[in-house]
Amino acid sequence: MRLADYLAPDSLDEAVALLGASTSSRALAGGHSLLLEPNRSRMTDAVLVDLRRISGLADIEVRRGGVQIGAMTTLAAIANDKMIQDRYSALAEAAGAAGDAQVRNRATIGGNLADANPGADLPAALLALGAELEVRHPSGTRTQTADGLWVGPFENSLRQSEVITVVSLPPQPAQSGSAYEKISHPATLYAICGVAASVTLAPDGTIRACRCAVTGAATIPTTLAAVGQAAAGLTPDAETLATVAEQADRNLTFEGDRFASAEYRRNLTTVLTERALTRAVERATTNAGG
Ligand SMILES: Cc1cc2nc3c(=O)[nH]c(=O)nc-3n(C[C@H](O)[C@H](O)[C@H](O)COP(=O)(O)OP(=O)(O)OC[C@H]3O[C@@H](n4cnc5c(N)ncnc54)[C@H](O)[C@@H]3O)c2cc1C
């Protein structure tokens, strides 16, 4: 990596202005992807704009029944947060399954999303939980759904001067539960395949709402829309969940590489969807809400 400059602004306004001033500028969060990728062309003569001195970007706050997580919150802080463990279990599990302790202590949720690594863990959980992102730009703030963020491997839809500031998760109704299941690459620890499931039950025990998403299996994290549609209205016994999980490979183009074939990832997607759904339903059954 050739570093042209390192800047550490105190305010978001300043950071956004610095990022917009040069196409070589890059936001620096935990640095656990950015600083370890010297061969990426985007790192040539980079101007690093460090976000760490900007206050208020690493808070976890309950707002209007949902939660707002600052973009600079580390994966360790998310994995260890009791409220996230209880109400947004899939996110706590995904953050806890990412990398090792050293990585989790530095890597941030904003960096994990913006990096757009196709095997990153948090995107699947955030898709399943219906996350929205707050994005700061030179003339204000906009809201962006998580599923519009990734456009290809290591490519996001943010403009040069934009910074993710907050990840918002909606309130979880009573009788909701979620879970994340992953098969890791043994060396890099990224997901060869990871599936998150989020389920809300109706008072009669049938599935009122269901959303699943996969990471690692395709070029970008993807919502498994067919699974959610197939699950709605059904009684979630083991046989039904296995049948519903068979919809997981619908409309998805699986990627093969030297670590795992496309067919293996297709199979994993179905297996992990069944496991994630089963645990999400278990949690929903015992969760009175709040
Ligand atoms: C050994 C190792 C193992 C890992 N294993 C896993 C794993 O199993 N699962 C997993 O999910 N991840 C894994 N990671 C990746 C880790 O989670 C990354 O650090 C993370 O994905 C990037 O977060 P960061 O805060 O370090 O971002 P940085 O490296 O600082 O930045 C990454 C990219 O995001 C941009 N960016 C950062 N913050 C923002 C923001 N707020 N707004 C806009 N753009 C921003 C940067 O400009 C850069 O392009 C691993 C990393 C390592 C080194």
Side-chain angles (χ1 to χ4, degrees):
M1 177 182 73
R2 282 175 57 194
L3 185 59
D5 207 349
Y6 168 85
L7 305 163
D10 293 321
S11 74
L12 260 177
D13 285 343
E14 205 185 335
V16 164
L18 290 170
L19 286 168
S22 160
T23 53
S24 302
S25 299
R26 296 287 169 236
L28 174 65
H32 267 51
S33 291
L34 192 60
L35 300 182
L36 300 177
E37 293 288 347
N39 295 326
R40 283 192 199 168
S41 56
R42 62 186 185 177
M43 287 305 298
T44 307
D45 291 328
V47 176
L48 296 184
V49 179
D50 195 338
L51 305 179
R52 278 176 297 186
R53 287 181 58 186
I54 303 170
S55 62
L57 280 186
D59 300 333
I60 299 176
E61 286 179 33
V62 175
R63 288 251 181 96
R64 291 188 289 277
V67 66
Q68 299 204 325
I69 304 171
M72 291 294 285
T73 308
T74 63
L75 306 193
I78 293 167
N80 294 328
D81 187 277
K82 179 79 171 70
M83 185 273 301
I84 293 180
Q85 289 172 358
D86 290 346
R87 291 198 215 167
Y88 303 97
S89 315
L91 178 59
E93 289 178 351
D100 54 20
Q102 187 181 359
V103 169
R104 293 191 292 274
N105 282 333
R106 300 294 294 191
T108 66
I109 186 170
N112 192 274
L113 300 184
D115 193 43
N117 187 309
D121 291 290
L122 273 64
L126 293 171
L127 285 175
L129 291 165
E132 285 190 341
L133 316 178
E134 203 173 277
V135 177
R136 184 72 163 260
H137 53 81
S139 34
T141 301
R142 68 180 178 86
T143 302
Q144 145 107 56
T145 55
D147 61 1
L149 182 66
W150 305 287
V151 293
F154 303 103
E155 294 289 339
N156 66 47
S157 60
L158 298 173
R159 289 190 288 270
Q160 172 66 37
S161 57
E162 290 189 320
V163 172
I164 300 169
T165 53
V166 176
V167 178
S168 298
L169 294 172
Q172 297 298 292
Q175 291 204 280
S176 294
S178 65
Y180 180 66
E181 289 282 339
K182 170 187 186 184
I183 298 293
S184 305
H185 184 281
T188 69
L189 305 175
Y190 280 95
I192 283 180
C193 182
V195 176
S198 171
V199 170
T200 300
L201 300 177
D204 65 0
T206 58
I207 295 177
R208 196 172 90 192
C210 169
R211 188 155 35 200
C212 294
V214 66
T215 188
T219 52
I220 58 173
T222 309
T223 300
L224 303 173
V227 175
Q229 286 156 13
L234 301 181
T235 300
D237 54 59
E239 195 180 331
T240 302
L241 293 182
T243 305
V244 164
E246 284 170 11
Q247 300 295 317
D249 63 359
R250 280 269 209 99
N251 307 322
L252 200 58
T253 303
F254 291 88
E255 290 292 307
D257 54 27
R258 63 198 157 120
F259 305 129
S261 67
E263 197 47 39
Y264 180 57
R265 285 189 163 101
R266 174 192 298 278
N267 188 46
L268 278 184
T269 300
T270 303
V271 170
L272 297 183
T273 298
E274 182 183 348
R275 290 182 191 167
L277 276 172
T278 302
R279 289 203 299 117
V281 166
E282 280 168 13
R283 286 180 170 144
T285 307
T286 55
N287 184 0

